[in-house]
């Protein structure tokens, strides 16, 4: 007789995706076994939150009754998770040219709305991940730290996992959430590297990084109050502070350099630290900020970081989050992809009566769609940095896609607040940008096609491409006015998102025609105002507790 599985679900990998899924399943009565090759607290990157990720955290808290994950969705809950996490009030970009100080006009500060949910956080991942692991244990998850799984054997009745010491564990279903080194991706030869984006990475954590001088015209917030992206031809550099608010207790800043290996080949003859500091000397303003920085952990240098998988699900198994694929951390979409996958996979594990590949194909569809969209967005962003005028135009597409996605996420949570199946069905129509709106997809395809065709060595071709992109945006009736202002030279979005014209019929926030129908249905301005007030009341620390 076959051995009967002990656990309903085994999960390899205890990052935020793995622990959140474990919490959900255990809270719903499943027997869950969670493996971690190392032990917590441990270093991890993926520290910058975005509106879409925060909203997905609220959706998980709402539909699965896991309030703890929503603690990381807003600065309002910082007292619950500690002062080691930073505050994020904006997405900031400085565009640079080799050998020249930063031009203040080449700035973008995408301000994050404070209302109704509050500004976001920079997650100090060793603390956030450890917190969620403790939550998993509280909900009844069996945790095996310092345990590396070396093989998984599948039968019609379950899966047997074997660790490096030869111990065996049995489960009905296996979730691989251990990132690039996915056991199942290696076992089934699933890895692909056919993405448009090409970038390599050097990163660490630092102290003694200089504050960024803030020019008044750059935006309403100091650049140190958000995630700062230094962008230039062939790459970009992030600076993520955890000490950027009164009462902060963590002096660390996360710093990472991403480079197109075709334009900036790796220097494997020197240490990662030497290569990093030699490179940033090309850009005076970047060098000024980082020249006194001291690494507090070992440097990581990774070759090309893009990868995908030919399959995401199979009979009795699934790849979750970065085990399925990864593009680039440019727009901080990784956690959004991962938590969307968590939501869908949890629903399938709780509702399906079979563990066949066919039953779990919705997870594969949404994961692959998100990765494909992110790849094209990031690849064309890298290309746009060859000319600031192109970057100024293309960044508007990124903002438009993120804005519409966030609006749709809020709407479907409100619309399907008591029906998780309906929420999942709506979630499966999304592709990471644009909120599943066909008109956005058409606009994005037009602009991406222009970007992919433009010859950056021809000044005339660059001017023509920029002119074409502007004309496309000018033809979009649902284009938010602050985004149009960026195309005319504005360097930031407004701090206050509430304006009288938002309440105008047909031209206000709700819009008209197909846009209004897709995002708001028959909702009125009054409905919108009531929903806003309800959200502000609902997501307060005193209202949300475990």
């Amino acid at each position: 007789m076959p051995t009967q599985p002990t656990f309903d679900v085994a999960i390899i990998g205890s990052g935020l995706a793995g622990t959140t899924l474990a919490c959900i399943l255990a809270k719903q009565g499943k027997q869950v076994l969670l493996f971690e090759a190392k032990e917590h607290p441990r270093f991890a990157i993926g520290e910058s939150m975005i509106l879409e990720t925060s909203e997905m955290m609220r959706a998980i808290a709402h539909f699965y009754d896991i309030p703890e994950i929503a603690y990381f969705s807003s600065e309002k809950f910082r007292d619950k998770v500690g002062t080691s996490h930073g505050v994020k009030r904006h997405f900031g970009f400085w565009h640079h040219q080799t050998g020249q100080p930063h031009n203040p006009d080449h700035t973008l500060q995408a301000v994050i709305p404070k209302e109704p949910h509050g500004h976001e956080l920079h997650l100090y991942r060793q603390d956030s991940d450890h917190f969620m692991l403790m939550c998993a244990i509280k909900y009844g998850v069996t945790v095996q730290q310092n345990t590396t799984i070396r093989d998984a054997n599948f039968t019609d009745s379950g899966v047997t996992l074997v660790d490096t010491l030869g111990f065996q564990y049995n489960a009905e279903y296996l979730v691989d959430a251990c990132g690039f080194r996915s056991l199942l991706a290696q076992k089934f030869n699933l890895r692909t590297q056919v993405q448009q984006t090409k970038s390599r990475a050097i990163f660490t954590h630092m102290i003694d990084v200089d504050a960024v001088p803030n020019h008044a015209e750059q935006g309403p917030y100091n650049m140190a109050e958000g995630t700062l992206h230094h962008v230039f031809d062939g790459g970009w550099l992030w600076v993520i502070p955890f000490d950027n608010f009164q009462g902060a207790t963590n002096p660390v800043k996360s710093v990472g350099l991403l480079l197109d290996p075709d334009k900036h080949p790796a220097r494997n003859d020197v240490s990662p630290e030497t290569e990093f500091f030699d490179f940033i000397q090309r850009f005076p303003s970047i060098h000024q900020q980082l020249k006194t920085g001291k690494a507090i952990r070992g440097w990581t240098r990774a070759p090309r970081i893009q990868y995908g998988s030919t399959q995401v699900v199979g009979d009795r198994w699934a790849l979750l989050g970065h085990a399925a694929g990864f593009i680039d951390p440019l727009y901080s979409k990784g956690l959004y992809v991962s938590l969307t996958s968590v939501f869908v996979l949890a629903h399938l594990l709780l509702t399906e009566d079979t563990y066949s590949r066919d039953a779990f194909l919705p997870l594969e569809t949404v994961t692959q769609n998100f990765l494909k969209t992110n790849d094209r967005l990031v690849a064309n962003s890298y290309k746009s940095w060859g000319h600031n005028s192109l970057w100024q135009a293309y960044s508007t597409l990124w903002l438009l896609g993120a804005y519409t996605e966030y609006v749709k996420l809020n709407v479907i949570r409100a619309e399907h607040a008591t029906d998780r199946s309906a929420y999942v069905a709506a979630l499966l129509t999304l592709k990471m940008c644009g909120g599943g709106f066909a008109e956005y997809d058409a606009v994005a395809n037009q602009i991406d096609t222009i970007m992919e065709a433009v010859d950056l060595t021809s000044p005339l071709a660059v001017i023509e491409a920029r002119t074409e992109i502007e004309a496309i945006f000018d033809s979009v009736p649902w284009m938010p006015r602050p985004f149009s202002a960026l195309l005319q030279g504005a360097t930031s979005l407004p701090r206050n998102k509430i304006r009288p014209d938002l309440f105008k019929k047909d031209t206000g926030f709700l819009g008209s025609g197909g846009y209004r129908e897709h995002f708001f249905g028959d909702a009125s301005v009054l409905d919108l105002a009531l929903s806003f007030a309800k959200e502000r009341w609902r997501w307060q620390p005193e209202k949300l507790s475990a």
Side-chain angles (χ1 to χ4, degrees):
M1 296 205 36
T3 303
Q4 294 299 313
T6 303
F7 293 90
D8 297 306
V9 179
I11 303 170
I12 307 174
S14 62
L16 279 180
T19 54
T20 303
L21 178 64
C23 286
I24 293 169
L25 298 176
K27 183 71 175 285
Q28 300 297 321
K30 297 289 186 181
Q31 296 297 309
V32 182
L33 176 60
L34 179 63
F35 294 100
E36 169 56 48
K38 299 178 182 179
E39 67 180 7
H40 288 272
R42 57 164 173 72
F43 172 79
I45 58 171
E47 300 142 321
S48 171
M49 290 291 290
I50 59 174
L51 291 170
E52 303 95 295
T53 305
S54 296
E55 173 53 30
M56 190 52 57
M57 287 177 166
R58 288 187 285 270
I60 290 171
H62 173 77
F63 285 103
Y64 291 114
D65 194 22
I66 307 294
E68 294 91 345
I69 188 63
Y71 296 167
F72 298 103
S73 68
S74 168
E75 64 176 340
K76 290 181 178 181
F77 301 108
R78 195 169 54 231
D79 288 346
K80 292 182 177 291
V81 295
T83 53
S84 63
H85 307 285
V87 168
K88 179 174 177 176
R89 307 194 195 285
H90 66 80
F91 242 114
F93 293 85
W94 277 9
H95 184 271
H96 298 266
Q97 292 179 292
T98 303
Q100 298 182 22
H102 172 251
N103 180 346
D105 291 336
H106 294 178
T107 297
L108 169 61
Q109 189 178 105
V111 174
I112 294 166
K114 184 176 181 180
E115 299 295 346
H117 300 113
H119 287 129
E120 298 183 306
L121 294 176
H122 289 150
L123 302 187
Y124 192 52
R125 288 291 299 274
Q126 72 174 49
D127 289 355
S128 61
D129 293 21
H130 182 254
F131 178 92
M132 288 307 297
L133 182 73
M134 296 302 103
C135 290
I137 293 171
K138 181 189 75 171
Y139 284 121
V141 175
T142 300
V143 174
Q144 291 280 123
Q145 297 196 80
N146 297 304
T147 304
T148 300
I149 300 300
R150 64 175 175 82
D151 200 6
N153 300 302
F154 296 87
T155 67
D156 290 342
S157 58
V159 54
T160 299
L161 296 93
V162 184
D163 69 18
T164 52
L165 298 178
F167 291 106
Q168 295 187 0
Y169 312 85
N170 299 303
E172 292 274 5
Y173 195 91
L174 175 60
V175 177
D176 187 334
C178 56
F180 173 72
R181 295 179 178 82
S182 159
L183 169 73
L184 296 183
Q186 295 178 45
K187 180 180 180 70
F188 297 130
N189 193 28
L190 303 177
R191 280 285 175 257
T192 63
Q193 203 165 36
V194 297
Q195 292 73 26
Q196 292 176 253
T197 307
K198 294 179 70 175
S199 62
R200 61 186 183 91
I202 304 173
F203 55 87
T204 190
H205 277 171
M206 287 183 172
I207 57 172
D208 296 340
V209 173
D210 280 354
V212 179
N214 203 61
H215 304 281
E217 65 269 27
Q218 290 185 343
Y221 293 107
N222 189 285
M223 295 303 281
E225 293 182 89
T227 308
L228 177 57
H229 305 69
H230 295 289
V231 302
F232 45 83
D233 188 17
W236 66 284
L237 184 149
W238 80 69
V239 181
I240 300 175
F242 302 110
D243 61 348
N244 59 353
F245 64 95
Q246 186 174 4
T249 57
N250 185 357
V252 171
K253 292 180 176 65
S254 177
V255 177
L257 177 65
L258 281 296
L259 298 172
D260 180 339
D262 291 339
K263 291 190 174 184
H264 305 292
R267 293 181 56 199
N268 294 320
D269 58 320
V270 298
S271 70
E273 181 177 18
T274 297
E275 182 181 10
F276 178 89
F277 282 106
D278 283 355
F279 185 88
I280 66 172
Q281 288 187 55
R282 305 179 189 193
F283 305 100
S285 299
I286 301 178
H287 182 249
Q288 179 63 35
Q289 183 185 15
L290 297 172
K291 65 181 181 181
T292 59
K294 301 178 182 68
I296 62 166
R297 54 164 284 109
W299 289 81
T300 298
R301 178 164 55 192
R304 187 182 177 193
I305 60 174
Q306 289 71 45
Y307 60 90
S309 302
T310 55
Q311 281 183 232
V312 175
V313 297
D315 293 339
R316 294 189 177 272
W317 62 264
L319 305 183
L320 183 64
H322 295 166
F326 185 76
I327 303 302
D328 188 281
L330 174 60
Y331 294 118
S332 303
K333 301 290 189 182
L335 271 178
Y336 175 44
V337 176
S338 295
L339 292 179
T340 301
S341 300
V342 165
F343 198 108
V344 173
L345 179 55
H347 180 73
L348 295 172
L349 286 169
L350 294 170
T351 58
E352 290 294 334
D353 57 7
T354 174
Y355 291 134
S356 70
R357 167 173 161 76
D358 287 348
F360 286 77
L361 279 176
L363 175 65
E364 180 159 302
T365 298
V366 73
T367 301
Q368 299 287 35
N369 283 342
F370 273 46
L371 291 172
K372 182 179 179 181
T373 300
N374 199 23
D375 183 28
R376 198 175 191 189
L377 178 68
V378 173
N380 285 326
S381 295
Y382 268 75
K383 189 171 184 180
S384 76
W385 297 331
H387 293 267
N388 184 67
S389 62
L390 279 182
W391 159 238
Q392 184 186 44
Y394 194 74
S395 64
T396 306
L397 180 64
W398 156 62
L399 285 166
L400 188 61
Y403 163 75
T404 47
E405 186 85 350
Y406 175 61
V407 169
K408 187 64 173 178
L409 285 170
N410 276 274
V411 168
I412 64 174
R413 176 165 58 82
E415 183 179 355
H416 305 300
T418 59
D419 188 342
R420 194 179 72 218
S421 293
Y423 177 86
V424 170
L427 200 61
L428 292 174
T429 68
L430 305 184
K431 299 176 183 177
M432 197 197 76
C433 294
F437 187 37
E439 289 187 28
Y440 168 83
D441 294 342
V443 167
N445 185 57
Q446 284 181 283
I447 293 174
D448 281 321
T449 300
I450 292 169
M451 285 299 306
E452 287 154 1
V454 64
D455 178 3
L456 296 182
T457 65
S458 167
L460 179 59
V462 170
I463 293 171
E464 290 176 345
R466 162 70 190 230
T467 302
E468 288 180 54
I469 293 172
E470 277 196 77
I472 292 169
F473 283 132
D474 285 344
S475 70
V476 175
W478 38 273
M479 182 79 168
R481 191 177 71 184
F483 294 0
S484 298
L486 295 174
L487 291 168
Q488 305 308 313
T491 58
S492 74
L493 297 178
R495 181 171 188 160
N496 182 12
K497 301 294 193 294
I498 305 299
R499 311 183 308 273
D501 64 335
L502 292 176
F503 301 96
K504 290 183 178 179
K505 185 178 181 181
D506 296 334
T507 61
F509 179 72
L510 295 179
S512 61
Y515 174 84
R516 179 169 188 152
E517 181 180 354
H518 179 81
F519 287 99
F520 302 106
D522 59 359
S524 66
V525 173
L526 178 59
D527 292 332
L528 178 66
L530 291 174
S531 177
F532 186 93
K534 183 179 179 181
E535 283 288 288
R536 195 178 190 282
W537 177 85
R538 169 72 176 84
W539 299 100
Q540 297 291 332
E542 63 272 18
K543 304 294 183 184
L544 191 69
S545 59

